[in-house]
């Protein structure tokens, strides 16, 4: 046995089973002690080459030897791993391609990833709910005579933040006045209008983003010039950012490579 190839396969697999369920597209990833499995057995002329080796756990190893797993699916897994086509692996192993076998499906959504997403959403919802509670508490403290500057020093937040939290809370003091489907930020934008209830309803009915809501408020309240100014400011900001990006990419190196990869990811 070619120990170097075997060791490399073991390292790359992390010592875990490489088998992929053809129905779910999910890799097994259970511990896989021992040597990799030969897709084409040594007795049949199989060699100790990467294309012929796959790390399997005891369970899937047994299923293979009992004939309960199609060899074609192992070849598909190896083809993905090696960055080759299935036909190339068959040719390398000098095997006749198995026809009419259902290919491995694309992986279904990762349950663990879904749990992380759910956790993030839960945290975000908790943070937004916390803003309403903060606004209510700050409003009560102000009513009892506390000064914004004193609260700022005690709580470590700016007077502007205090004013914002209180203003949004006062615009929508009760849960029934708020739109559960919209973010706290939507309510913040609506709170800066002459009719918060009207505009939060508009945002809900028309599915407006916070940016679209702000623009609608400025235009409907005869403040088109402010909307134009806002657009001009954002355009100027976009141009500044573009100039910075262009400069970094022109300089090249690791920062440029990192930036290009992050920009590409935005449009995937």
């Amino acid at each position: 046995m070619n120990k170097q190839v075997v060791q490399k396969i073991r390292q790359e697999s992390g010592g875990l089973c490489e088998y992929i369920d053809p129905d779910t597209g999910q890799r097994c990833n259970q511990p896989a002690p021992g040597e990799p499995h030969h897709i084409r057995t040594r007795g049949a002329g199989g060699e100790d080459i990467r294309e012929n080796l796959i790390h399997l756990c005891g369970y899937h190893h047994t299923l293979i030897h009992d004939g309960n797993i199609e060899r074609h699916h192992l070849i598909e897994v190896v083809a993905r791993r090696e960055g080759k086509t299935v036909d190339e692996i068959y040719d390398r192993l000098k095997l006749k391609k198995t026809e009419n076998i259902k290919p491995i499906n694309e992986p279904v959504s990762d349950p663990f990833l879904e749990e992380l997403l759910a956790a993030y959403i839960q945290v975000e919802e908790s943070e937004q709910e916390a803003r309403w509670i903060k606004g209510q508490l700050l409003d009560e403290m102000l009513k009892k005579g506390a000064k914004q500057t004193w609260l700022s020093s005690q709580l470590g937040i700016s007077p502007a933040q205090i004013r914002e939290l209180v203003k949004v809370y006062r615009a929508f003091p009760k849960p029934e006045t708020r739109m559960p489907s919209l973010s706290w930020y939507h309510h913040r934008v609506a709170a800066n209008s002459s009719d918060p209830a009207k505009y939060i309803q508009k945002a809900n009915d028309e599915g407006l983003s916070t940016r679209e809501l702000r623009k609608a408020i400025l235009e409907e309240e005869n403040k088109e010039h402010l909307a134009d100014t806002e657009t001009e400011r954002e355009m100027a900001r976009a141009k500044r950012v573009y100039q910075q990006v262009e400069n970094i990419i022109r300089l090249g190196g690791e920062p440029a490579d990192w930036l290009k990869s992050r920009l590409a990811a935005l449009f995937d």
Side-chain angles (χ1 to χ4, degrees):
M1 177 172 283
N2 189 324
K3 292 184 178 180
Q4 288 184 332
V5 174
V6 169
Q7 183 63 21
K8 188 69 173 175
I9 294 294
R10 183 184 290 113
Q11 289 175 348
E12 291 176 358
S13 71
L16 303 176
C17 182
E18 296 180 88
Y19 180 73
I20 295 177
D21 188 303
D23 294 322
T24 66
Q26 296 296 324
R27 177 172 156 163
C28 173
N29 279 332
Q30 291 300 310
E35 304 299 340
H37 171 75
H38 286 73
I39 296 175
R40 182 171 184 171
T41 65
R42 288 179 182 149
E47 301 173 71
D48 294 332
I49 56 175
R50 292 183 61 89
E51 294 86 347
N52 196 38
L53 297 172
I54 181 171
H55 224 40
L56 297 174
C57 64
Y59 173 71
H60 285 116
H61 219 138
T62 299
L63 290 180
I64 284 288
H65 287 293
D66 289 345
N68 294 317
I69 290 180
E70 293 286 349
R71 182 167 62 183
H72 176 82
H73 289 145
L74 299 185
I75 290 175
E76 277 195 84
V77 173
V78 170
R80 291 187 185 187
R81 186 190 70 201
E82 299 300 314
K84 297 182 178 180
T85 66
V86 169
D87 288 341
E88 287 176 323
I89 302 299
Y90 271 102
D91 290 341
R92 187 74 176 86
L93 300 183
K94 298 181 176 65
L95 291 172
K96 183 179 179 181
K97 185 176 180 181
T98 305
E99 301 295 341
N100 302 319
I101 300 292
K102 181 183 176 182
I104 295 175
N105 289 330
E106 289 299 314
V108 298
S109 56
D110 187 340
F112 183 60
L113 179 59
E114 289 182 354
E115 289 176 9
L116 293 176
L117 288 171
Y120 183 93
I121 292 171
Q122 185 176 8
V123 170
E124 177 64 22
E125 290 175 347
S126 298
E127 288 178 351
Q128 297 209 32
E129 179 60 28
R131 288 188 176 93
W132 292 114
I133 297 172
K134 287 178 180 179
Q136 182 179 10
L137 293 172
L138 289 167
D139 186 43
E140 289 296 323
M141 287 186 278
L142 290 173
K143 287 178 180 178
K144 291 186 178 296
K147 301 297 182 182
Q148 287 186 13
T149 51
W150 182 80
L151 288 174
S152 176
S153 66
Q154 296 299 307
L155 301 174
I157 59 175
S158 69
Q161 288 176 292
I162 294 173
R163 288 193 296 271
E164 180 179 80
L165 288 164
V166 172
K167 184 174 184 177
V168 178
Y169 170 74
R170 287 178 178 174
F172 304 98
K174 297 181 179 179
E176 55 267 28
T177 64
R178 307 165 193 164
M179 289 292 172
S181 60
L182 298 179
S183 69
W184 181 87
Y185 302 102
H186 279 87
H187 292 80
R188 180 184 67 177
V189 173
N192 286 304
S193 72
S194 60
D195 191 342
K198 169 189 170 182
Y199 286 108
I200 200 64
Q201 186 67 53
K202 180 181 179 68
N204 184 70
D205 294 344
E206 299 179 19
L208 301 179
S209 66
T210 53
R211 190 185 190 87
E212 292 168 336
L213 176 59
R214 176 174 171 77
K215 184 176 181 181
I217 292 171
L218 292 173
E219 290 176 347
E220 291 183 16
E221 296 193 345
N222 297 318
K223 298 176 182 177
E224 292 91 344
H225 65 288
L226 293 179
D228 292 341
T229 301
E230 179 75 11
T231 300
E232 290 171 1
R233 276 203 302 267
E234 288 299 313
M235 192 63 195
R237 180 167 172 264
K239 289 179 179 179
R240 289 195 300 271
V241 171
Y242 173 78
Q243 188 63 54
Q244 292 173 341
V245 169
E246 187 179 39
N247 291 339
I248 291 172
I249 292 176
R250 186 180 292 115
L251 289 172
E254 185 177 346
D257 292 340
W258 179 87
L259 182 57
K260 284 189 284 188
S261 68
R262 298 308 302 165
L263 289 172
L266 289 176
F267 299 99
D268 283 347

